Amino acid sequence: MTDKHALIQPDRGQKSIPIHLVSKDSFADWAKGLTNAQRAALEGQKFTGGGYEVGIVPDGENWFAVGGVANPASLSSWCLAKLAETLPAGTYALAQGDPGKALLGWQTAQYRFTRYRQDSEQTGPRILLTQDAKGIDAALAEAAAIGKVRDLVNTPAEDMGPADLEAAAEALAKEHRADCHVVRGDVLQRDYPMVHAVGRAASRHHAPRLIELIWGDPKAPRVAIVGKGVSFDSGGLDIKPASAMLLMKKDMGGAAHALALAGLIMGAALNVRLHLLVPTVENAIAGNAFRPGDVLRSRQGLTVEIGNTDAEGRLILADALTRASEEKPDLIIDFATLTGAARVALGPDLPALFARRDETADAVITAGRAHDDEVWRLPLHDAYAEWLKSDIADTNNNHTNGFAGASVAGLFLDKFVGDGIDWIHFDTYAWRPVAKPGRPKGGEALGLRAVWHMLQARYG
Ligand code: BES
Ligand code: ZN
Ligand code: ZN
C-alpha cells in the first residue's frame, strides 16, 4: 500500500546509504573496524555513541551514517528520529537488523506544520528502507494519526472552530464510508442542552454542535469514542488570565485524538461497531453566555449548577457520554484537555488515565509501555464526589477546595456514564511544550497509540 513518495519503503535492493547503530558501550569495539581517518572524522564530530548522537563517516568516495542508541538490538519508537531529522535528504537503510518500532519515529520526525508557512528547511525527504513490509503499513497509519492530531491542534481557533471539526469528521466519514450526522440549533438545545449552553455565546459561524459518526458491523461489539471539542476556551464569564488563555486553541485536543483513533479503527477495519461523538463549542464571552450560578438541565436529567464557566469541558462531555451510554456500548473511551490539575500532577508527557475497571486500565498501561506511549493512572476516588454537592441542584460542575482536580472532574463525568459500562477517560495536555526527537513543539498525540494497541488486542 505504500506509495513511492512514502518516507518508509520496502527494501527491494534500492541504492541506499547505510546507517550503523551503536551504543555508548559498543562504540569503541565497533570503531575498531574503521580506518584511522574514519575514527578521526567521528572524533571531529564529537561522536561518542550516546543516545540521539548522529555521525557521518567518510567511506572512499562516499559516506555512511552512525547513530547512537541505548540498545542497538532493541530499538524504541524514537531511536531513529534524530537521524531522520538531521541527515541530508536521501535513501537510507540500517546496516544491520530491522528498524521495528523505530519506523514510527522515522516518519513522525519529518512532520511539519506548513499551513501558514512553508518549511524553511530546504532539505528533501529522508527515506528509510525496511524488510518489514507489514511494519510499514502499521507505522505509516500510526504516524498519520499522530500527524492528524498535531495538525488539528496546531491550527488556530479561527480556522479550527466547531464547523471545521465538523468538516474534518465529514471528511473522515467519507474516506471510510461511515455515517456522519450533526446536531445544531434548536435540536441541539433540546437534545444536548449543556453543549448548547456552553457554546451559545460564540458567533454564528462558530455555533455549537454535536458530531456523531457511526461505522462498522452492527453486530460487532460497540465502542464509543468521545472527544472534548472546545475550539477555544476563554474561560467564559469566569475569564482566564491572558497567560492561561494563550494556548487554549488546543482545547479541542480531545476531539483531535478521538478523530484520529476513529481513523485508525476504520482504516484497520477493526471488528467493532464504532460510535464517535464530538461535542464541539467555543467557550466564548457575550451577552448570551451561560453564567456562574446558572443551573443547566443535562440530557440525562441531572441538574448542574455552574460554579465556574471555565469548567466547561465536563459539561459538554456529560451530554455526549449520556448519548454514548444510551446505546449500551461494550466500552466508552473519552479524551479531553479537561483540567490544569492533570498537567500539574503528571506534566506534559503523561496523560492521566481514569478507569472504572482495573483490567481495562492495566491493558492500556501495558500497551502504552510496549509502544513508547506511556499513560499514568489516577484514581476515581468515590469519597471525593461529595465535593461536587450543590445547594440547589443535583450537582455543581466545580469544587472549591483545590484538591485532586483531575479526579473530581473524572467523578463529575462518571455521573453521566451509564451504570456498569466499562469506561476510560483521558485527561490529556495534547501539547508538547519542548521538542524531543520525532516530537516537535506544538500539538501532540498522547495515549493515542496506547489505546489503539489495547483495542487491537481486545477486538483484533
Ligand atoms: N481547558 C481547561 C483545562 C486546561 C487548562 C488544560 C490548562 C490544559 C491546560 C479547562 O476547561 C479548564 O479551564 N479547567 C479548569 C477547571 C476549574 C475551573 C475547575 C482548570 O483546570 O483550571
Ligand atoms: Zn475551561
Ligand atoms: Zn477547557
Side-chain angles (χ1 to χ4, degrees):
M1 269 192 294
T2 50
D3 68 279
K4 62 184 196 304
H5 304 293
L7 302 176
I8 309 174
Q9 293 181 17
D11 191 343
R12 301 198 180 90
Q14 304 95 310
K15 213 169 149 255
S16 60
I17 302 165
I19 299 175
H20 292 254
L21 296 178
V22 298
S23 65
K24 251 199 145 52
D25 293 339
S26 69
F27 173 55
D29 251 6
W30 175 81
K32 283 182 190 150
L34 302 179
T35 65
N36 287 341
Q38 288 174 323
R39 272 194 299 274
L42 282 177
E43 212 179 307
Q45 295 167 60
K46 292 191 234 156
F47 186 89
T48 65
Y52 294 137
E53 286 183 18
V54 175
I56 300 288
V57 186
D59 189 19
E61 300 285 287
N62 297 307
W63 55 272
F64 60 83
V66 56
V69 300
N71 176 5
S74 161
L75 303 183
S76 85
S77 300
W78 314 114
C79 279
L80 300 180
K82 193 77 189 179
L83 287 149
E85 278 168 12
T86 52
L87 288 173
T91 300
Y92 296 85
L94 291 190
Q96 259 178 7
D98 225 42
K101 289 199 288 174
L103 288 175
L104 180 86
W106 185 274
Q107 181 78 17
T108 61
Q110 298 183 66
Y111 167 86
R112 299 287 180 275
F113 182 60
T114 53
R115 179 161 173 162
Y116 302 99
R117 182 177 68 194
Q118 277 316 301
D119 201 349
S120 52
E121 197 195 343
Q122 286 306 305
T123 323
R126 295 88 165 186
I127 294 161
L128 184 65
L129 303 181
T130 172
Q131 312 281 348
D132 175 13
K134 259 177 73 186
I136 299 180
D137 290 341
L140 291 181
E142 289 177 29
I146 293 170
K148 184 190 198 101
V149 173
R150 291 175 180 173
D151 279 344
L152 290 171
V153 173
N154 285 333
T155 305
E158 180 60 12
D159 293 334
M160 193 46 67
D164 303 282
L165 281 173
E166 174 181 330
E170 297 272 10
L172 185 67
K174 204 166 162 213
E175 187 183 340
H176 299 283
R177 299 214 199 99
D179 289 326
C180 185
H181 81 101
V182 181
V183 181
R184 309 182 201 80
D186 292 345
V187 182
L188 187 76
Q189 183 165 25
R190 184 193 70 200
D191 292 347
Y192 298 93
M194 298 210 291
V195 179
H196 183 271
V198 174
R200 72 190 184 203
S203 72
R204 256 166 72 102
H205 176 66
H206 296 299
R209 60 206 80 192
L210 186 285
I211 304 164
E212 251 180 321
L213 180 152
I214 310 269
W215 172 91
D217 180 357
K219 293 192 284 296
R222 180 179 273 268
V223 174
I225 302 175
V226 183
K228 170 177 170 180
V230 176
S231 62
F232 189 77
D233 185 6
S234 71
L237 291 173
D238 288 306
I239 189 170
K240 287 181 184 293
S243 60
M245 204 191 296
L246 187 59
L247 262 182
M248 282 301 131
K249 69 173 182 182
K250 78 175 177 74
D251 213 20
M252 36 55 71
H257 282 69
L259 287 162
L261 181 59
L264 282 169
I265 289 171
M266 296 188 287
L270 202 66
N271 182 38
V272 297
R273 175 74 166 166
L274 172 67
H275 188 189
L276 172 74
L277 295 117
V278 176
T280 175
V281 302
E282 177 180 345
N283 190 15
I285 299 170
N288 63 341
F290 77 126
R291 313 166 188 81
D294 281 354
V295 174
L296 308 183
R297 187 175 296 276
S298 65
R299 176 183 179 93
Q300 191 237 44
L302 278 183
T303 53
V304 181
E305 183 185 5
I306 302 305
N308 194 318
T309 61
D310 198 9
E312 84 296 339
R314 60 194 75 182
L315 300 170
I316 66 168
L317 286 169
D319 279 353
L321 288 167
T322 298
R323 171 74 193 100
S325 301
E326 288 161 7
E327 303 290 337
K328 307 231 174 319
D330 186 58
L331 175 65
I332 300 179
I333 304 164
D334 81 71
F335 295 93
T337 49
L338 202 61
T339 70
R343 174 201 55 183
V344 171
L346 298 176
D349 282 2
L350 294 169
L353 168 68
F354 297 86
R356 281 185 171 173
R357 294 194 193 158
D358 294 344
E359 315 83 78
T360 308
D362 292 345
V364 179
I365 291 165
T366 306
R369 288 232 172 93
H371 294 276
D372 310 305
D373 188 25
E374 259 194 279
V375 306
W376 212 270
R377 192 176 180 188
L378 293 181
L380 287 169
H381 183 50
D382 286 336
Y384 299 163
E386 67 172 68
W387 296 342
L388 286 166
K389 279 200 172 122
S390 158
D391 292 334
I392 60 168
D394 294 323
T395 183
N396 203 294
N397 76 329
N398 186 33
H399 76 305
T400 49
N401 65 18
F403 295 132
S407 286
V408 175
L411 288 164
F412 179 88
L413 298 181
D414 183 76
K415 295 173 190 280
F416 298 89
V417 179
D419 286 344
I421 297 176
D422 192 3
W423 166 58
I424 58 174
H425 155 59
F426 282 98
D427 194 335
T428 183
Y429 196 53
W431 189 264
R432 186 168 295 284
V434 182
K436 294 187 184 187
R439 293 151 287 177
K441 176 179 172 181
E444 186 62 301
L446 299 165
L448 176 68
R449 289 180 316 110
V451 185
W452 170 228
H453 286 279
M454 178 277 283
L455 289 175
Q456 283 177 291
R458 182 160 163 165
Y459 301 107

